Amino acid sequence: MILQNFLLAFPLFFLVGLGFFSAKVSLIDFNVGKGLAKFAFNIAIPCLLFQTIRGASNLPPPNWSIGLAYFGSCALVFLLTFFIGRKSFHLRGDESTVFGMSAIFSNNVQLGIPLAISLLGENCVPSIAFIVDFSQVCERSSQWCELRYSQVQTAH
């Protein structure tokens, strides 16, 4: 099972590694990378999203337990890194919030959708759409709450 998942995900990570290597050894210059990024964000990713949405009505409803597992683990990782930032690195509240947010920031669209579809199949699309839709709302809400909490703590 692990080998099968590895082989399914390998092409995606191989392309990421190939891009990194190409930039590191100057096979492509900065302007080519800029052009590829513009193409990816302005054309390829919207096409991927529209193609994914196009067939969504034929798919099963989202599996809510996947969202609960994702957001629950994000909350735990955020809290853990927030307190590590406060206690180990002696960061202020706002700095520790950024530290925690950087630990849970993820590439749900760029990496998550292709990886999930290749590993889990088309039936996972509603669950992934749920995560993509609500992750920004949850992340920004938790960020605001933590920053506000930090401001109150600093004022006392």
Side-chain angles (χ1 to χ4, degrees):
M1 181 73 163
I2 292 175
L3 180 62
Q4 179 185 4
N5 288 344
F6 173 77
L7 293 174
L8 284 170
F10 179 75
L12 183 64
F13 287 105
F14 177 76
L15 284 174
V16 170
L18 182 64
F20 176 78
F21 175 77
S22 298
K24 198 75 170 162
V25 298
S26 300
L27 287 175
I28 57 173
D29 68 358
F30 180 75
N31 290 329
V32 172
K34 248 175 101 171
L36 286 172
K38 265 188 172 176
F39 170 78
F41 287 108
N42 295 329
I43 296 173
I45 292 174
C47 287
L48 170 70
L49 291 173
F50 283 120
Q51 179 186 0
T52 303
I53 291 170
R54 179 183 53 110
S57 62
N58 301 329
L59 296 172
N63 182 349
W64 300 106
S65 61
I66 292 174
L68 182 62
Y70 175 79
F71 291 117
S73 61
C74 281
L76 289 175
V77 168
F78 173 79
L79 290 171
L80 180 69
T81 54
F82 177 84
F83 288 113
I84 287 173
R86 294 284 285 196
K87 300 297 181 194
S88 298
F89 299 116
H90 308 288
L91 300 175
R92 293 188 326 258
D94 55 345
E95 293 171 332
S96 198
T97 299
V98 172
F99 187 66
M101 292 302 293
S102 67
I104 64 171
F105 183 82
S106 60
N107 292 314
N108 287 338
V109 177
Q110 294 90 339
L111 191 58
I113 292 174
L115 189 60
I117 290 172
S118 68
L119 292 173
L120 303 173
E122 291 285 329
N123 287 342
C124 76
V125 169
S127 299
I128 298 302
F130 166 70
I131 288 172
V132 169
D133 287 344
F134 290 103
S135 66
Q136 291 300 315
V137 172
C138 291
E139 287 174 13
R140 296 303 172 249
S141 299
S142 64
Q143 189 178 35
W144 181 86
C145 290
E146 194 52 51
L147 286 173
R148 185 69 186 123
Y149 171 77
S150 297
Q151 290 171 346
V152 169
Q153 292 297 319
T154 304
H156 291 341

